[in-house]
Amino acid sequence: MPRSAPPRRPARVLSRALATASVALGMMLTALPSSTAADAPVPEPPAVRASALAAGSPPAGDFFSTVAVDPAASVGAPAAGDNQAHGDLWPNCWADDDNVYTAYGDGVGFGTVGSDIGVAKISGMPGGLSGTQLSTDVGQIWNAGHNRKPTGMACVNGDLYLAVQDLAHDFNDAPAATIARSTDKGRTWTWDRSRPMFGGGVFTTVMFLDYGKNYANAPDDYVYAYGLDHNWRDSFDDTVPDPVDLYLARVHKNSVMDENAWQYASGTDASGNPVWSADIARRQPVLHDDRRVYQDVFTPGRARNMTVLGQGGVVYNKPLDRYVYTSWTEYTFEFYESPTPWGPWKHFASKDFGGYPWTHTKHGGYATTIPSKYISADGKSMWLQSNVCPCGGGYPAGDHWAYTFSLRKLSLEPRRDTVPDNAAAPNRNLAREPGTVPVQRATHFGKDGYYADGNRDQSEDDWNDERKTESWWGYTWPRQYMMNRVTYTTGDMFADGGWFAADLKVQVRRDNRWVDVSGQRVGPDYPYGSSAGPHRTYTFSFDPTAGDGVRIVGRPGGDRTFTSIAELEVHYGDAGGLMLGGSPTDVTGDGKDDVVTFTRGSGAEVYAAPSDGTAFTGGGKWNDHFAPAGETPLTGDFNGDDKDDAITFTQGSTADVYVAPSTGTSFATGEKWSDHFAPGDEVPAVGDFDGDGTDDIVTFTQGDTVGVYVSLSNGTSFGTGGKWHDHFAPRGEFPAVGDVNGDRKDDVITFTKGTEAAVYVAFSDGESFGPARKVLTGFSPGAELPRVGDFDGDGRDDIASFTADADAEVRVALSDGEGFVTKGVWHEAFSGPGAFPYVGDFDEDGRDDVVSFDHTPGADVHVALSTGTAFGASRKWNDFFGLPGETSL
C-alpha cells in the first residue's frame, strides 16, 4: 500500500535567503555627540529614523560564549539569611570614598525601624560586607495609594543622585518619579517638592547607568539613565500597559536636577549616531522586547504571561568594554548586552529558576543589578544583587533569606574564535572540560552540577510549574570541540512527568545558533513515555561535528510537562551517526550524480538538485513525505531503469523498507518493498550484490551474531533476506559497500577504526560473501568518515577517508583488485568540522568526485572534482541545500 503522507507544507525555495542583519553602530564612546552647554538646544533633524528594534524582540547576543549564574544568593549585607527584613530593590553606585551607596524599599535597612524607603552605605567586598544606615527622608509620595520606591542611583563628582518612584500598593502602577540629590553621602537629600520630575507614567522607572567609581568611566560629562514607562515590571492585572520598551536619557552632570536639561535618545541618524531631543515625547526605545514568558502555569493564582523588561540595572563593564542590562521576571533573570549605551542591544541569556516554592539554595529574584565595584579586573567575574520577598509565594511568610542586599556570583566568558583541536578519544568526557557551563530549560532543585559528576544515581528535573513545549539539558564551552556522541541517563520518574514525550534530538551550538546534528542514531530506542525508566542510559551517536555547545532537546512529557536527568556525557570517539559509506545518486538518469536531501522530522520532505556538470541547479521538492526522523534513507537504482530511487529503512521494531521510484523529475509515492529487514539499530546499505544491474539491500547486524544479510531486488520488491556472511563488521566498526575487484558485483568492506584502523573486504560471488580479508591498516582511524567510490576511473571502487576536523584532509587508497594500496592525501582542506562529505561522479567523466554539505543555516554545497590522482579545488556548486539535521547524499 502507498505510504500515507501528512498535509503539505509550503515549498522551500532552493536559493539562499538573505538574513536580515542588525546594523551595529560600532562607534567609540568618545564619538558621542557633544554639547557646548548643558542647556544648549538640541537640533531636531528633519529625518530621524526610529530604533532598529522598534518591533519584535532583540536578536540573540553573540558577545559571550558562556554565562554562569549561581542558583542562589550566597553572601549579603550584613549576611544573607540572618532573617531580618532589611529590605529590597537596592539600586546602588560606587562613590569616590570607595563605598557602595544604595537604597532599599520596605524594610529596616541597617537600622531598627521599618520604612517604605531608606538609604544605606555598604562597605567592604563580598564575603566581608557591612552596612550602615543613613536616611529615610528622601523623596515623597505624589499619589494616594502609593509608596516611595528607589529605582536607580548614581555617584557623580562626590554627590549621590537617587531616582524615587511612586509605586502603587499592589505594585501594578508607577505614575510618577523624581530625582533627589545628596551632597553629604546620603545623610540628607533635596528634591523638587512641588512636582515630580516625571509624570503620567512616562519614564517613571529610572535606572542610572553605572559608570564605575564616582562615574569615572563615563565617556563625557553626561550622566546617563534608562527608563521604563507605566510600571517597574509586568503589570500583573493589566492596570497599565506592560513595559516592552527601554528608553535612554542623558543630562549634563552639573544639571541632573534640572528636568529641562534632560535629553532623550530619539532614534538614530543616517550614520547610526544617536539623536537627542529635549522633548520626552520624541523619545524612541533603544531596546524593544515583547516576548512573554510563562504563558501557561499550572498553579492557580500564580503570575503568568509576563513581559521581560523590568527594574534592574545597566552597568558598563570596562574591562570587557560592554554594557550589560540585567532584567527579570517573576521566575527568570534576563540578560542583555550592547557595545554602546544606545545599542544595538541583544538578549544573550535567560536563567530560569522555575515556579514556586523556592529554597535557600535555589531561587531567582527581582531588581537585578551588578554593582560595578564588584566586577573583577578582567571583567569576567561579578556579583549580581536581587531579592526575594516573603510575600509573593517564593518564600513563606517570615523567611527573609534574600530580603536584604543579597549577592550571587555571575561569570561571563567573552566569545573568541577557536578551532577544535581535540582528537578522537572515546573515554574523554567533554562535559568535564575546564570552563564547561551546564545549560537547561530550568532546574527544580538548582543542582545542575549533578549531571556532570559521574554519579548516575542522582536526579535533577526541570519541573517549573509551567505547561511548556520544550525541555533541554546540555553544556556550553568557551571554545569549540569535536563531538559525535552524547550519552543521556534519565533521572527519577514521577506519576506526572520526568520523560520526553516526542522529538528528542541532539543539537550543537555553531556560530551562536543551536542546530540539529546530522546522522543521529539512538541506542536503545527512546520509548517516549514513562517506560523510558528511571536511571536508564541512552546513547545518541551522530556525524562528527564541531561546536561550543551541545544539548539534548525535545518535548517534555507527563501531566506537568517536565523531564529528568542523572547524567549527560559528551564524547568524540570512533564511528558514530548514520554509517553511510556511499550510494549512487543519479536521480535524473543522465549519467551525472545529483544531490538529495531528506529533511527528516515530522515534515519528512525530500529535495533533489540535479547536476549540470558544473553546479547543482534546478533544485526542488521531489517528495512530500518520505523517511521521517528515526529512519535511515539512502538511494539506489532498484528497478533497473538507470534512475536512482529513494529508499528508507524504518528500522526499530517495524523494520519495513520503503522505496520511492524516481521518475526523473520526482520520487513517486513510497511503496513497501520489504516488511522485515534491518531491525533495531542494524546498519543497512545499498549495492548490486548479484550483478544483475539492479541494486539490492544489505544489513550488518553488528550485534552478538555480527551477521550480514542481503535481500535481492526483483524490480518491484525485495525478496526474503538471507545470511551472506556469519561474522563481519562487529559493533564499533564502520561497514560499507563497493565493487573492489571490478566484477560488477558489489562487495562488503569494513573499517575497524580504533588503534589499528584496519580495512577488511569480503568479496561477493553473487550468492554470498567470501571470507573476510584484512587488506589495509592505518586507514580512517577514530572518528574519520570513510567513503567508497571509483576515484581513478579504473572500474574498481577505492576508499577515501575524511578527517572531518580542523585539518579537513581527504586521504585515498586505490584498489588493485585484491585490496587497497597507494595511500595518499588527495585534498588538504575539504569538508571540515560539522560538514558532511559524500561521493559521486558529478561531471560524468567516469571518476567519482567528493561533495561536502556544510549543514549550516547557510547550507552551502562544495564539490572537488577528481583528476584521477587528486581532488581539485573546492568550488561552491549550490548556495542553499542540506540544512542542519537533514540527511544529505
Side-chain angles (χ1 to χ4, degrees):
M1 295 292 290
R3 192 168 220 184
S4 60
R8 296 187 180 188
R9 71 180 186 186
R12 178 176 59 177
V13 178
L14 291 174
S15 61
R16 168 162 289 184
L18 296 177
T20 302
S22 297
V23 180
L25 299 179
M27 64 189 76
M28 298 299 293
L29 288 175
T30 52
L32 278 163
S34 60
S35 176
T36 56
D39 58 353
V42 181
E44 305 288 357
V48 177
R49 60 186 182 87
S51 165
L53 299 177
S57 57
D62 55 5
F63 187 80
F64 298 108
S65 62
T66 62
V67 180
V69 186
D70 273 8
S74 55
V75 302
D82 70 351
N83 210 34
Q84 296 296 309
H86 295 288
D88 59 5
L89 303 177
W90 305 97
N92 55 81
C93 63
W94 185 12
D96 56 343
D97 64 0
D98 203 38
N99 291 306
V100 170
Y101 289 85
T102 182
Y104 61 87
D106 290 335
V108 300
F110 302 110
T112 58
V113 179
S115 175
D116 61 344
I117 193 169
V119 180
K121 177 178 69 176
I122 306 291
S123 303
M125 292 295 289
L129 298 175
S130 62
T132 302
Q133 186 72 11
L134 296 174
S135 175
T136 58
D137 183 17
V138 56
Q140 67 191 80
I141 297 172
W142 304 100
N143 298 274
H146 290 67
N147 279 331
R148 301 170 296 173
K149 297 297 179 187
T151 63
M153 184 174 273
C155 297
V156 184
N157 287 349
D159 296 339
L160 308 183
Y161 296 93
L162 176 63
V164 182
Q165 76 177 183
D166 263 21
L167 183 63
H169 290 165
D170 65 1
F171 310 116
N172 287 329
D173 180 25
T178 196
I179 306 298
R181 180 187 184 190
S182 174
T183 59
D184 59 1
K185 294 296 191 290
R187 291 174 177 81
T188 62
W189 294 84
T190 60
W191 65 93
D192 184 348
R193 295 175 182 266
S194 65
R195 58 190 295 271
M197 183 178 289
F198 303 100
V202 175
F203 210 82
T204 52
T205 300
V206 181
M207 300 168 284
F208 286 105
L209 199 165
D210 185 346
Y211 262 125
K213 187 175 182 178
N214 203 35
Y215 232 68
N217 295 330
D220 51 29
D221 290 334
Y222 287 93
V223 174
Y224 289 81
Y226 295 86
L228 301 173
D229 290 350
H230 305 300
N231 203 27
W232 67 306
R233 53 132 168 90
D234 180 278
S235 179
F236 292 166
D237 62 2
D238 295 326
T239 300
V240 296
D242 297 326
V244 294
D245 292 309
L246 182 70
Y247 300 97
L248 174 65
R250 69 176 187 174
V251 60
H252 194 274
K253 63 184 180 181
N254 296 331
S255 304
V256 176
M257 302 302 291
D258 180 2
E259 66 179 281
N260 294 317
W262 283 59
Q263 304 167 4
Y264 303 90
S266 304
T268 55
D269 62 22
S271 299
N273 299 310
V275 173
W276 301 95
S277 173
D279 183 359
I280 194 172
R282 295 178 66 90
R283 73 197 185 288
Q284 295 285 345
V286 295
L287 168 64
H288 175 91
D289 196 342
D290 57 14
R291 289 180 299 126
R292 288 184 175 269
V293 299
Y294 278 77
Q295 296 184 34
D296 190 0
V297 298
F298 291 107
T299 302
R302 295 289 192 217
R304 66 187 66 213
N305 197 32
M306 298 161 290
T307 53
V308 295
L309 299 187
Q311 176 187 329
V314 179
V315 65
Y316 175 56
N317 187 318
K318 184 177 181 180
L320 301 183
D321 192 23
R322 218 67 181 174
Y323 294 82
V324 178
Y325 169 37
T326 48
S327 185
W328 59 279
T329 72
E330 190 79 358
Y331 311 115
T332 70
F333 289 166
E334 305 291 333
F335 297 94
Y336 303 82
E337 55 89 4
S338 172
T340 72
W342 48 86
W345 285 95
K346 297 180 179 180
H347 178 251
F348 70 87
S350 293
K351 179 66 174 180
D352 192 329
F353 297 94
Y356 300 147
W358 286 341
T359 67
H360 292 176
T361 56
K362 197 256 342 198
H363 59 263
Y366 55 91
T368 45
T369 60
I370 299 173
S372 58
K373 181 178 179 179
Y374 310 145
I375 297 176
S376 64
D378 64 2
K380 298 180 181 181
S381 300
M382 58 216 76
W383 292 84
L384 179 73
Q385 199 290 134
S386 65
N387 308 113
V388 180
C389 180
C391 58
Y395 283 164
D399 189 339
H400 297 97
W401 173 270
Y403 198 68
T404 184
F405 186 80
S406 62
L407 303 172
R408 73 185 74 203
K409 290 181 180 179
L410 169 65
S411 300
L412 304 176
E413 184 66 35
R415 188 178 305 278
R416 56 192 174 92
D417 292 333
T418 62
V419 175
D421 59 5
N422 59 308
N427 296 321
R428 178 182 176 184
N429 184 2
L430 301 177
R432 308 276 187 87
E433 292 295 299
T436 302
V437 174
V439 293
Q440 64 289 130
R441 177 62 174 81
T443 56
H444 190 172
F445 305 103
K447 303 294 186 181
D448 58 13
Y450 273 7
Y451 59 90
D453 64 0
N455 185 348
R456 296 185 178 185
D457 294 326
Q458 299 178 128
S459 181
E460 176 60 283
D461 63 70
D462 64 354
W463 176 93
N464 62 346
D465 199 30
E466 178 191 15
R467 183 175 284 106
K468 56 185 179 289
T469 59
E470 195 171 56
S471 290
W472 62 86
W473 304 95
Y475 305 102
T476 55
W477 297 291
R479 56 164 298 113
Q480 290 195 80
Y481 289 97
M482 294 293 301
M483 64 199 99
N484 64 355
R485 189 171 78 252
V486 168
T487 304
Y488 164 53
T489 301
T490 63
D492 295 338
M493 294 287 150
F494 305 86
D496 54 2
W499 58 88
F500 285 94
D503 306 324
L504 182 55
K505 59 188 175 182
V506 176
Q507 292 183 326
V508 296
R509 192 175 67 173
R510 300 175 61 188
D511 299 324
N512 203 45
R513 297 180 65 174
W514 290 102
V515 298
D516 297 348
V517 298
S518 63
Q520 177 178 298
R521 306 173 70 203
V522 185
D525 288 343
Y526 188 86
Y528 289 128
S530 60
S531 60
H535 304 279
R536 293 182 184 172
T537 298
Y538 299 87
T539 299
F540 297 77
S541 59
F542 44 92
D543 299 328
T545 189
D548 61 359
V550 65
R551 67 182 185 179
I552 59 169
V553 57
R555 182 160 61 84
D559 293 341
R560 289 298 184 263
T561 62
F562 67 95
T563 63
S564 68
I565 189 169
E567 197 74 8
L568 191 72
E569 303 163 63
V570 186
H571 294 91
Y572 179 48
D574 293 337
L578 292 179
M579 298 183 195
L580 308 178
S583 63
T585 55
D586 181 9
V587 297
T588 61
D590 65 354
K592 296 183 288 291
D593 280 319
D594 313 301
V595 287
V596 180
T597 191
F598 301 82
T599 66
R600 319 302 299 278
S602 58
E605 296 163 331
V606 187
Y607 291 81
S611 170
D612 67 4
T614 60
F616 300 120
T617 60
K621 187 193 294 185
W622 276 45
N623 192 288
D624 286 323
H625 189 79
F626 193 80
E631 300 186 4
T632 300
L634 280 164
T635 51
D637 181 10
F638 305 110
N639 55 14
D641 65 354
D642 295 324
K643 296 185 290 288
D644 288 315
D645 314 306
I647 186 172
T648 185
F649 301 82
T650 65
Q651 307 232 251
S653 59
T654 59
D656 293 328
V657 182
Y658 289 82
V659 171
S662 171
T663 67
T665 57
S666 67
F667 293 123
T669 301
E671 301 276 351
K672 186 187 290 187
W673 277 40
S674 177
D675 58 9
H676 190 79
F677 194 82
D681 60 351
E682 296 184 6
V683 179
V686 168
D688 181 5
F689 303 111
D690 58 359
D692 67 351
T694 58
D695 281 323
D696 314 303
I697 52 176
V698 63
T699 184
F700 302 86
T701 65
Q702 294 209 314
D704 296 334
T705 61
V706 199
V708 181
Y709 290 80
V710 168
S711 182
L712 300 177
S713 170
N714 62 20
T716 58
S717 66
F718 297 116
T720 302
K723 182 184 287 188
W724 279 40
H725 206 290
D726 288 323
H727 190 92
F728 192 84
R731 191 174 303 280
E733 298 187 4
F734 192 119
V737 168
D739 182 7
V740 178
N741 56 10
D743 66 354
R744 299 185 180 275
K745 294 186 289 290
D746 281 319
D747 314 303
V748 288
I749 307 165
T750 187
F751 302 84
T752 66
K753 317 301 275 183
T755 54
E756 185 182 24
V759 182
Y760 285 79
V761 172
F763 292 107
S764 171
D765 64 9
E767 296 180 347
S768 65
F769 299 120
R773 300 171 51 199
K774 184 193 295 186
V775 296
L776 192 65
T777 58
F779 192 83
S780 197
E784 293 189 11
L785 295 175
R787 299 290 185 260
V788 178
D790 182 5
F791 303 117
D792 59 359
D794 66 352
R796 297 188 294 257
D797 279 330
D798 314 302
I799 51 177
S801 185
F802 297 78
T803 62
D805 56 13
D807 292 335
E809 291 184 340
V810 186
R811 302 185 181 98
V812 169
L814 299 175
S815 170
D816 64 1
E818 297 292 330
F820 301 107
V821 295
T822 321
K823 293 185 292 184
V825 175
W826 277 40
H827 208 294
E828 294 182 343
F830 191 81
S831 201
F836 183 78
Y838 217 60
V839 300
D841 182 5
F842 305 116
D843 59 355
E844 200 181 1
D845 66 353
R847 296 186 295 263
D848 280 325
D849 316 301
V850 288
V851 61
S852 177
F853 302 90
D854 282 2
H855 278 175
T856 65
D860 289 337
V861 182
H862 292 82
V863 167
L865 298 175
S866 173
T867 66
T869 57
F871 297 120
S874 174
R875 301 187 185 282
K876 187 187 294 187
W877 276 41
N878 192 289
D879 61 7
F880 193 77
F881 193 87
L883 289 168
E886 298 184 0
T887 296
S888 306
L889 309 175

